[in-house]
Structures are given as structure tokens and as C-alpha cells.
Amino acid sequence: MKSNWNSLRPSAAFQHCQCGFYVKRLNLPSPDESLREFRKRKSFSVQEKLYALDQLKKGKQQTQLARDLGISKSTLRGWKKEEKLRSLPCILEAETGLQCKKVKFANDESLDSALYQWFGQARSEGVPMSGPILKAQAEKFDRLINGNESKFKASNGWLDRFKKRHTISQVLLSGEIRAADKEAADSYPIELKKLLEEGCYTAGQVYNCDETGLCFKMLPDQGFKLRKDRVTLLFCVNKSGSHKVRPLMIGKARSPGCFHHVNMKTLPFEYTNSKNAWMNSSIFKDWFHKTFVPAVRAHLRKLKQEEKALLLLDNCPAHPSAESLASRDSKSKVSYLLKNTTSEIQPPDQGIMSVFKQNYRREMIKRMVADNSSVDTSLSSLNLKEVCHLGWKAWDAISARCIERCWIKDLGPAFPSSSHDDGNNNEPEFTRFIEDDVPLAEEALREYEHTVPSEPETSGTNGDDNDGTSTPPRKVSEAVKHLEDSWRWLETQDVDSVKILQLRSILDFTSLALRLSLIGLWRGWFDGIQ
């Protein structure tokens, strides 16, 4: 029988190779086509899923909606089967809760819903709230819903899951934030603007002060033992940020040992004491008349402005009445903010205090690293005098621009937009030199050369230097010792605090050089024994 070779010939799906066999050809896509067909995985928030379900409910086709969203039809059908998605707007918070992309439902939804409604109502009424209170209330609701036989236990893990489920970032609220009156805070800038226009106050004549507690030995990381040594600090600044009144520190000791033989006027912070290191009316009244009023007058006199000021205060019980806080000439007055508006409009609460504490922690860590000792030893040696110097570095690092931004954040409508009046705004802005400036510069240079006295010529044959030898420089350790003695002596004298701070910075620089030299000697010894 004659075979049909044409019928035995392989089809186009097979390809003849060099080994004599036919191999089946696979229709694989090219790399570019496979990349084009690859769909990147995307996760959708609860709000986007609810929007898709609403579109289906309005009659939009599944195929068209899946194509618009870039998902498959099976994913869309899975969303339709999730009946719990419809109840999420009632469970989650309207703004932030619906933005989450993964939602884990509670095991007992009735308990979870009841507790969240109670939490929202209690927070709106200003009831003090904390984690233990939430756990106790959850166990109480569980007994009411499931009876006394329930074995539910509100653990810390349950509390964390409850907070994540309802996007609760902070349970514990401070008193000022909890009792904030936002309506009154929004209306206050209009009242302040009228007050400033009536008194004709400029931005440099409006001040605000506020107290804050500082645990000066507490580290940023909570991995160490908490040290609750605390002082109260009072800061006062004007709106333009050009004047920082000398800060006030309130401690418990009347005369700390670190301040013995130290002239208190030379410290960068003013110090006083109370029984619990808190502010009281007598301390504040004394600070107003003896520190604030003289400092403001000296600052405004230096700027050749009228010596008057308006101090904005919050309604703290430690602050005396406005009648008792007025200078003898009635040019320095006090105006109280509206009640329950401190956390919303007071400038120090808008970022000044937080920036100061961040700067202080950074300076404290720098000191610990420079001491080259253990953490406990460094913290034990940290006294109030060191806190004054570290606090001054942190306070001095806050710029005037930062202070003014905190003022404008909520009190901006009370001030004119162009309040940056430093007296130099009328000068034209420098762009470049022109040809006419060259002869003027040459003439000024010739006059300067004639007026500068010539330095006497030094010769090795004068005085006691006939032998041509010079005194060798002292060692770094000797320089550090002499600078420390000079710094302690200068603290006992009646000098400007700026000079003490300058000497302290030189001492810090020299101490750093000493440590670096010791490290270099140690490395050389270590390399020699290798």
C-alpha cells in the first residue's frame, strides 16, 4: 500500500530541528507583550468599594464598572457578597475610618458598636478617657449583653485592635484640648484686632507667655528608667519674634547646691522656687513687674518705639487679675484670652513648646555623648545649672520666623499681612555693582589705608627674646582646667550672661578637642599592639 507522505508531514505547529526530530512550537508571548498584560496589584479602600457598590445599585453594568476600576469581574462579585461592607459607615469614623484598605471585624460586633458609640459620646462631652477606662467599660457592656457567664477579658491586645479598627490614635486627652471651644477660638481674632487698633499696638508690642513642665532628666526613648525630676518654665515672646524675654525656671529647692557661689543674674534663666515647682500668683506677679516690664521697656527703647506693650494671657488659676497686672504708668497691660481657647489659639501651644523640648532633648543627648560615661552617671550629674545652659541653647535655636508662624497660625486675621517691620524695609534691594561704584570703592579703600595705624615691627632682638626661643603652647588638658576655673570664677562676678555663654562655648570646644586627642592616643596604642 502506498503511503501518503503529505498526510504524514507535520503541521505548522511543529518545527524541524537540527537533530532530525520535530518539536512542537509553543506560542509564547514576547516579553513586551507579557509586561503589557501584567496587571499591577491594587488595594482599594472601604470608601472606594462602597462607591463601586453604589454604582452597581444605580444600574451600571459589571463589565463596564470593572473595566473602569481596572479590576476583574470576579473581584467585583466578591465585593457584592460582602454584606458587612454596608455596615461599615456606621461602625467606622466618617473621615479617616473609610480610608483604610483592610478592615478586621470584631468577634462581638454588638459589643464593639456599643463601646464605640459610648466612646464618641464621652469624648464629645469632655469626660476624661484612658485605656483602663475603655477596658473596664467594655467588660461592663459585655456583662450587660452576654450575661455574667461570659468569659470576655479586655486585654491590652484587644484595646490595640479596637483602636486600630476605629482609627483612634489618642485615647488620653489633656485638659486644655478636651475642653477646647472652637467657636470661641474662631471668633477671638476679630476681638483681638479691635483691641490692637484701639491701643495702636504694633507686632513688636504684642506679647504672649505660657508655662510648661519639663522633666529635664527624661530621655526620648522609654527603654531606660523614667526620671521624673521636673521644673516649670515660663516663656514669653512677642509677635514678631524679635524679643525673647529671659525665661523663668521654677524649682522646688530654695537654694540648690549647684547655684552656690554663682551670681544668679549671670544665668541665662531666672530662677525661683515654690513648694511643688508650680506657678502661683505671687511668683507671676513678681515676674511681671520685675522682669517683663523692664525687659520690654529696654527692648522698645532700643528700637526707638513707644514703651507700651500688651501681654496676652490664658485663664490659668495661677495668673492674677488683669487689674493687678499693670505697670504704674499703665502702658504695659494684660488681656486674657477667652476661656477654653488656649490649645487652639495660644502661640506657644501651636509648636513653640514642642520645638523647645525637642531641641532640649537633642542638647541633652549631645551632653551625654560628650561626657563619655554611662547613661545613669551622666543623668545623675545633670543639675539645674546645667539645665539652664542646655535650655538656653534649645531656646536660642528657635528662630524668629518659627515664632511668628506660630502666632499667625490661628491669630493671623488679627494682624495686618505686612507686619514684618524691622525699620529696614525702605532700603532698596541689592542686585549688582555698576561701573560708577568702582571709583567710589577705590577712594574708600585709600581713605581706609590712611586711617589704619601701622603695626609695630616685631624683632627677635627686643625684650627677653634675645635667644630666639618662644614659649611652647600649653597642653589641651591644662587649657581645659584653666578654662573651667575661669568659667567658675566668672559666674561669681556681676557680668553680662552673654560673656559667660561665650566662655562656656569655648570650654565645650576645648573639651571636645581633649576627648578627640585621647581617642587618637587610644587608637594609636591599640594599633601598636596588633
Side-chain angles (χ1 to χ4, degrees):
M1 183 176 178
K2 195 172 183 180
S3 60
N4 189 0
W5 292 101
N6 293 331
S7 62
L8 296 177
R9 180 176 295 177
S11 62
F14 291 86
Q15 182 179 4
H16 187 269
C17 61
Q18 295 180 358
C19 60
F21 295 96
Y22 284 93
V23 181
K24 188 174 182 180
R25 181 183 296 142
L26 299 177
N27 295 324
L28 296 176
S30 63
D32 295 338
E33 292 177 356
S34 62
L35 290 176
R36 283 196 299 267
E37 293 179 0
F38 177 75
R39 182 182 294 122
K40 187 177 180 180
R41 183 179 179 86
K42 181 182 178 181
S43 56
F44 292 85
S45 63
V46 176
Q47 189 173 8
E48 292 172 336
K49 293 179 181 180
L50 291 175
Y51 170 77
L53 295 180
D54 291 338
Q55 293 296 317
L56 290 176
K57 191 175 180 180
K58 292 179 180 179
K60 192 170 185 178
Q61 295 182 358
Q62 292 188 16
T63 306
Q64 183 64 29
L65 182 60
R67 187 182 297 112
D68 296 341
L69 295 177
I71 59 175
S72 61
K73 292 188 291 184
S74 60
T75 303
L76 190 58
R77 287 194 296 268
W79 293 354
K80 290 180 62 178
K81 294 179 181 179
E82 295 181 6
E83 298 179 357
K84 293 183 178 180
L85 280 176
R86 294 292 183 181
S87 60
L88 286 178
C90 301
I91 299 175
L92 299 178
E93 193 176 349
E95 296 182 359
T96 57
L98 296 178
Q99 300 298 328
C100 59
K101 297 181 179 180
K102 269 190 177 182
V103 180
K104 293 185 178 180
F105 294 90
N107 295 330
D108 192 343
E109 295 183 6
S110 58
L111 171 62
D112 187 82
S113 177
L115 182 64
Y116 181 69
Q117 292 180 9
W118 175 85
F119 172 77
Q121 183 179 1
R123 173 169 281 189
S124 62
E125 294 177 357
V127 178
M129 193 63 57
S130 63
I133 293 177
L134 269 181
K135 293 192 289 185
Q137 191 66 29
E139 294 178 356
K140 178 181 178 181
F141 280 153
D142 180 71
R143 289 191 297 268
L144 294 175
I145 296 173
N146 302 321
N148 296 327
E149 299 179 357
S150 177
K151 297 181 180 180
F152 170 75
K153 181 67 176 178
S155 61
N156 292 332
W158 171 88
L159 179 62
D160 293 337
R161 290 189 295 271
F162 176 80
K163 292 164 61 177
K164 290 180 180 178
R165 188 161 50 247
H166 298 283
T167 61
I168 301 173
S169 59
Q170 185 179 5
V171 175
L172 183 63
L173 295 179
S174 62
E176 292 181 351
I177 299 176
R178 185 174 60 245
D181 189 353
K182 293 186 178 181
E183 294 183 359
D186 294 338
S187 62
Y188 180 75
I190 301 176
E191 299 181 11
L192 179 60
K193 185 176 182 179
K194 296 179 180 178
L195 184 62
L196 298 179
E197 292 176 352
E198 293 176 358
C200 298
Y201 294 103
T202 62
Q205 296 172 337
V206 183
Y207 288 77
N208 178 246
C209 70
D210 192 16
E211 301 90 352
T212 183
L214 177 66
C215 297
F216 55 89
K217 290 187 178 183
M218 187 174 292
L219 295 174
D221 188 9
Q222 298 182 359
F224 299 92
K225 180 181 178 181
L226 295 179
R227 297 173 177 263
K228 299 183 179 180
D229 305 71
R230 183 185 61 85
V231 293
T232 299
L233 301 177
L234 174 67
F235 296 105
C236 182
V237 293
N238 61 352
K239 190 264 176 184
S240 62
S242 60
H243 186 206
K244 298 178 182 178
V245 182
R246 184 185 179 192
L248 174 66
M249 176 187 292
I250 305 175
K252 292 183 180 180
R254 178 178 299 178
S255 179
C258 59
F259 290 152
H260 290 176
H261 308 293
V262 175
N263 188 357
M264 302 298 290
K265 295 181 180 180
T266 61
L267 291 175
F269 281 23
E270 185 178 354
Y271 180 81
T272 186
N273 73 294
S274 65
K275 183 178 180 181
N276 49 12
W278 289 351
M279 175 66 74
N280 54 45
S281 57
S282 60
I283 293 178
F284 190 88
K285 189 175 181 180
D286 188 68
W287 171 84
F288 178 82
H289 291 287
K290 295 183 180 181
T291 302
F292 174 76
V293 175
V296 171
R297 286 179 177 176
H299 174 72
L300 296 177
R301 192 184 307 117
K302 183 179 179 181
L303 298 179
K304 297 180 180 180
Q305 297 182 6
E306 185 179 358
E307 299 177 13
K308 63 178 182 180
L310 178 65
L311 178 62
L312 304 179
L313 288 178
D314 57 2
N315 291 272
C316 176
H319 295 165
S321 61
E323 291 76 12
S324 60
L325 295 178
S327 58
R328 295 180 179 178
D329 54 3
S330 300
K331 288 187 177 182
S332 297
K333 299 180 180 180
V334 168
S335 176
Y336 280 95
L337 304 175
L338 299 179
K339 291 184 178 180
N340 302 329
T341 59
T342 301
S343 61
E344 295 290 333
I345 61 177
Q346 188 160 229
D349 291 331
Q350 306 307 314
I352 298 178
M353 295 299 187
S354 60
V355 173
F356 165 78
K357 292 183 178 180
Q358 291 174 7
N359 295 343
Y360 175 82
R361 304 298 177 197
R362 183 175 63 250
E363 295 296 334
M364 184 176 65
I365 296 299
K366 286 182 180 180
R367 177 185 177 274
M368 292 175 57
V369 174
D371 286 346
N372 198 18
S373 59
S374 63
V375 175
D376 293 334
T377 303
S378 179
L379 292 179
S380 299
S381 63
L382 183 61
N383 52 36
L384 292 181
K385 187 173 71 172
E386 292 289 335
V387 173
C388 287
H389 292 287
L390 294 178
W392 175 254
K393 291 181 180 179
W395 180 239
D396 188 58
I398 302 178
S399 62
R401 185 175 181 81
C402 175
I403 294 174
E404 189 169 14
R405 283 181 176 179
C406 294
W407 274 84
I408 297 176
K409 186 175 181 180
D410 289 294
L411 296 178
F415 298 94
S417 57
S418 59
S419 59
H420 308 280
D421 187 9
D422 296 329
N424 298 325
N425 293 336
N426 296 328
E427 296 183 0
E429 183 181 0
F430 174 79
T431 55
R432 62 185 178 86
F433 287 106
I434 59 178
E435 296 181 358
D436 295 339
D437 295 332
V438 176
L440 296 176
E442 293 178 350
E443 183 179 357
L445 180 60
R446 286 192 296 268
E447 293 179 358
Y448 175 76
E449 291 175 350
H450 287 295
T451 56
V452 173
S454 59
E455 296 182 359
E457 297 181 357
T458 58
S459 175
T461 59
N462 296 334
D464 299 331
D465 295 335
N466 295 330
D467 54 354
T469 60
S470 60
T471 305
R474 294 185 178 273
K475 297 180 180 180
V476 181
S477 58
E478 297 178 357
V480 171
K481 183 178 181 302
H482 291 310
L483 285 173
E484 288 179 349
D485 295 339
S486 302
W487 177 53
R488 292 192 182 95
W489 174 83
L490 195 62
E491 284 184 328
T492 62
Q493 306 301 313
D494 188 10
V495 296
D496 190 4
S497 60
V498 177
K499 296 181 179 179
I500 297 181
L501 294 175
Q502 291 173 348
L503 182 59
R504 177 61 185 266
S505 63
I506 297 174
L507 175 59
D508 293 340
F509 173 78
T510 313
S511 301
L512 178 61
L514 175 61
R515 287 189 294 271
L516 293 177
S517 63
L518 293 177
I519 293 174
L521 291 175
W522 179 83
R523 286 181 177 176
W525 172 82
F526 183 78
D527 294 338
I529 64 175
Q530 293 295 325

